[in-house]
Amino acid sequence: MKKYRIAEIICIVILLVFIGILSADETASDKTVKEVAGAVISDVDIKGLSKQNEMQIKKELSISAKDYDGIYFVKSDEVMDVRELLIIKLKDNQSSDDAIKKIEKRIKDKQTLFEGYAPEQSAMLKNYVLKQEAGFIFYCVLEENETAVSAFNKIL
Amino acid sequence: MVFSSAAFLFVFLPIVIGLYYLPIFRKNDRKNFRYKNLILCLSSLLFYAWGEPVYILLMLLSIVFNYFVGIDIEENVLDEKKKKTALLLGVGFNIFALGFFKYSGFIVSSFGGLFGAELEYSPLPLPIGISFYTFQIMSYIIDVYYGTVKAQRKLLPFMTYISMFPQLIAGPIVQYSDIEEQLQERKVNVEKFAAGVIFFIRGLGKKVLFANTIGSVYTEITSGDIGKASVVTAWFGIICYTLQIYFDFSGYSDMAVGLGKMFGFNFCKNFDLPYIATSITDFWRRWHISLSSWFRDYVYIPLGGNRVSRGRHILNILIVWSLTGLWHGAAWNFVAWGAFYGILLILEKYFFKNIIEKTPMFLRHVITLVVVMLGWVLFSSNTLTDALTYMGSMFGTAGNVFFDSTAKYLVSTHIFPVVFMSLSAFGAFSNLPRTKNFKVNVIVLCAGYIIIFCLCVIYLISETYNPFLYFRF
Amino acid sequence: MDIHDNENLIYVNEDPGEKRIHKGNVVFLCLTVCFCFIIGVGGFVNFIAKDRDFSESENRVLASFPKLTLSSIADGTFMKNFETYMSDQFVLRDRMISLKSYFDRLSGLRESNGVYIADDGFLIEKPSKYTAKKAKAMTKSINSFMEKYPEITKMVAISPNASYIYSEKLPSGIELHSQYSELKGILNRLEGENYSFLNVTKALKNAKEKSDVFYRTDHHWTTRGAYAVFKAIADKWNLDRKSVEYEFLTVSSDFEGTLASKTGIHDNKDKIEICLPENSEGSYIVSYESQDKRTTSLFEPSKLQQKNKYEVFLGGNYDKVVIDTVSKSRATLLIIKDSYANCLIPMLTPYFAKIIVVDPRYMTESVHNVMDEYNFSHVLFLYNLNTFLQDTSLEDALK
């Protein structure tokens, strides 16, 4: 019977496509950081957070804005307010490893800073979101992490 | 989702059991089993998607593909060549999927090592349970090829067979021929359900009360400088690991068998007190039985089994056991572990047969246990060097002291659980005394299992104890 | 045949239609009903039970029901968070945890979460790892700091921890590296003029004969322990401590410290004493500059109502606290410290007109700025060895 063979072949093709999609580098989105950040902050409350300029970004994250296609970073000026939101757009085919490593270090540093001393801040820091998608790196410590993430996913 | 989690025990399981045994589907007829299979199948898909929201597509694809392959083989039953093509296509697909998702990283790095090149390749994460369900599927298409079973023409029972959540992620590897009939119709009654409860609680207890509590000892010992550990420390560590791996694995199998029974299925038993074995051959008759039977039926026998020349037979054994090792994980130490058993089995069969027969039972038992423990050192070490260092400490070859304060502390604080668990692993509690009074037996039994279950819940909730401390003083 | 024997025990028949043993049915029914009851009712009770936001005994925010979004399902965070939610909000969670720790001890375990369960109800934290590298880096930054102030009287006092002072109470077989020799190693590296180095081990060892010098359930020293160290400091600096009477008052007798939380063992309670120099109440002004707060007490009684009662001393840890006393002395003191010092500071008030307390872990400015701001006659550097070896902020603060 031919039809079973055809069905089998279709399955094999789907498997190969599936593997292809999983292993392929995702295509970068053509949105700018401004558009993405705008979409995210229209959905979540970032009152009390202030936008950081290039110098401050360099100081806080040791990431220099020149290396990337755009960075948006807001954080609170209050010591005890751990909320922050960071969106980085990578250049074409740029590796995200360096930035991710630096962000992870920041999270760890912040966690050690508040660990054993401020339970609410620690709980928030534990729930951080760090993800990479379509040429963007997204990191946030907010009360409404999920909303921020879905806004981020939607705009891409 | 794992069985030993609050979400499984108190949300997933009661809902699935509730739906499965809805009063309107009480009669044991075919129509009701269609409904029951549907519930089981959907809940299994949910169960799998819970841990693998993406890879569920892979599993579904695999199910659909092999469903067609099964029918294809059977349709071509008279045309040997076409039949063979269909089989090869099927086996090829399964081995490719397994190979790609489980072994690609291993293959790339091994080849890289061979040519002295560091290849940059980050493999995809391993889909849970892929080794188990791929083997189940292969047992099906190969059996259809040999005509031992009929191809399953209905997708639902086939899907139920592959995706059934009790055995989906950690075995046992149920061969299709064993439950072919049960998929159509099976006895579901309170006797079976209660037996399922017993198996399940036993398994849960093995995992949560035994394996999880003893696991830290070995991790702690190996995290230190193992080359300097005292002889007693090294032995005590591997004893703990030996107990842990048995209770962990067989606990999971028991839970699977128990859940299977709750839904009316009978799975073969997977462990049969492996640590009372008196030879390596005996050990492998008792350890992970479903895996060794799978390799026997689908690799060893097709290779010719023992009805070949002595040299070929030895080669067959080595192939089968290297593959068995590799099945446990994509790393060389697993291959070494498998080959270690292959060699031991050959020695047992061809060289030491007479000596073994003359050795007293007790000694045979001790020797087997020691060999098995050495096997676990190989199995658990990250590299062969680590394994050799550990074995060195066990036998004091690096001038290790026999006994030190670490050993004293570890032994004195863990001796009760270790003795208790060892007795249990040797089957000392298999025949508990019972009174002549039936009522007393009933009460003791029910109360006993319910208490064990409650203990398990207490333990698994406590495992998530995670106090926030003002330790920054 | 481990598993199958039990089936015989309850007479399982694969095909009960053929040879049903009716007596067995009672058991089957009984077990089935019990099991289904527990998981069903357990699930239901958990479903209707009110979620707690905060766990008093674990002192942390508990997981709440995760938000359901497509992306949180696709990347699996929903499932992960749901499982955490289930176990965090499980009914009777706290009870279960203390039961479990009871079973653990019953089975002979003498260690939990990095804390040894020692004799006489003592919970003793595992000491931090000593490395020569860390000791060298720390002493180097202290030396270069102290070097800048040759005319000021300086002292470094580092306390060992309970794991050393009460080493005889540790479970048998535990042999820890001697903190005494570690301290000696550290103090030997220090050098400079007008500079004394105090190994307080002896003082604590002598004092422990009379009373507990460490809490049984907390990692701090007791006020009695602090008093012994105070005496050693006073003697070294020739403070006239004989002229002042000290009075001990018990302010709480149900203190359960951090180690009780860490292990989940709540068998013992400690008492907290405070130590007052005579006629001292109301005789000083304490200002917490970063908090914009002023009080007239070195104690914060409201903290006795909360879990971490040790914060009664100085109200907890702050970056900088300025204490003005009515002492006739004209000496001023800077204390660079961790929280061990909090209960000792009141004892020093009779001898200094002004005491500035800085905790480098919470400070953003350099300690040099503080040195410039005030005219100190004394500097005391007071730490315990565990914190000292784990410290990450001191080197920056001393730069």
Side-chain angles (χ1 to χ4, degrees), chain B residues 217-415:
Chain B
V217 178
Y218 184 71
T219 339
E220 196 179 313
I221 291 174
T222 43
S223 68
D225 184 357
I226 187 59
K228 293 203 182 93
S230 67
V231 175
V232 173
T233 309
W235 277 96
F236 194 70
I238 200 63
I239 288 173
C240 289
Y241 186 80
T242 304
L243 291 169
Q244 185 208 350
I245 193 163
Y246 166 63
F247 285 119
D248 194 281
F249 204 171
S250 78
Y252 232 87
S253 287
D254 285 356
M255 286 191 267
V257 172
L259 288 168
K261 280 199 194 301
M262 290 184 206
F263 298 111
F265 288 93
N266 284 318
F267 301 147
C268 299
K269 92 180 136 173
N270 212 10
F271 289 86
D272 185 11
L273 293 181
Y275 294 152
I276 63 167
T278 49
S279 68
I280 297 302
T281 320
D282 190 21
F283 174 74
W284 276 101
R285 264 187 231 123
R286 296 164 174 278
W287 179 275
H288 205 352
I289 301 166
S290 67
L291 182 74
S292 16
S293 0
W294 194 95
F295 271 102
R296 184 195 60 217
D297 295 347
Y298 301 106
V299 184
Y300 182 68
I301 291 176
L303 281 174
N306 55 7
R307 297 181 181 167
V308 284
S309 67
R310 184 186 264 215
R312 180 62 204 267
H313 184 214
I314 289 177
L315 184 70
N316 284 352
I317 291 179
L318 280 179
I319 291 174
V320 168
W321 285 95
S322 303
L323 286 177
T324 306
L326 194 59
W327 181 89
H328 286 83
W332 281 111
N333 67 310
F334 293 115
V335 181
W337 176 75
F340 167 80
Y341 275 112
I343 292 166
L344 285 169
L345 289 169
I346 294 165
L347 291 177
E348 249 183 40
K349 265 197 186 84
Y350 283 114
F351 300 98
F352 298 139
K353 207 172 175 193
N354 296 329
I355 306 173
I356 289 171
E357 275 165 7
K358 281 184 211 131
T359 319
M361 265 312 182
F362 175 74
L363 207 59
R364 284 174 59 176
H365 183 195
V366 172
I367 294 170
T368 309
L369 261 183
V370 169
V371 170
V372 168
M373 284 197 266
L374 290 175
W376 291 135
V377 175
L378 261 182
F379 187 85
S380 64
S381 303
N382 291 326
T383 62
L384 289 176
T385 340
D386 285 357
L388 290 176
T389 318
Y390 198 104
M391 289 182 193
S393 296
M394 286 168 74
F395 297 103
T397 50
N400 307 64
V401 290
F402 181 73
F403 191 77
D404 62 0
S405 59
T406 317
K408 184 179 167 200
Y409 176 66
L410 282 174
V411 174
S412 68
T413 51
H414 290 92
I415 190 72

Side-chain angles (χ1 to χ4, degrees), chain B residues 50 199 431 449 465 468 473, chain C residues 3 5-6 58 83 261 361:
Chain B
W50 188 267
F199 270 88
N431 290 308
Y449 277 103
Y465 180 58
F468 179 92
F473 42 89
Chain C
I3 293 157
D5 267 358
N6 253 48
E58 288 175 71
E83 291 192 17
S261 303
R361 290 166 301 165

Side-chain angles (χ1 to χ4, degrees), chain B residues 100-117:
Chain B
F100 181 81
F101 285 100
K102 187 169 176 179
Y103 296 105
S104 58
F106 170 68
I107 294 168
V108 169
S109 71
S110 297
F111 268 102
L114 211 59
F115 300 116

Side-chain angles (χ1 to χ4, degrees), chain B residues 141-174:
Chain B
I141 54 171
I142 296 172
D143 281 353
V144 173
Y145 176 80
Y146 285 118
T148 23
V149 297
K150 280 209 279 221
Q152 178 57 265
R153 302 263 166 174
K154 292 192 200 104
L155 188 57
L156 183 62
F158 184 64
M159 204 141 145
T160 312
Y161 161 59
I162 301 300
S163 67
M164 204 185 313
F165 76 85
Q167 37 81 340
L168 178 59
I169 56 173
I173 301 166
V174 181

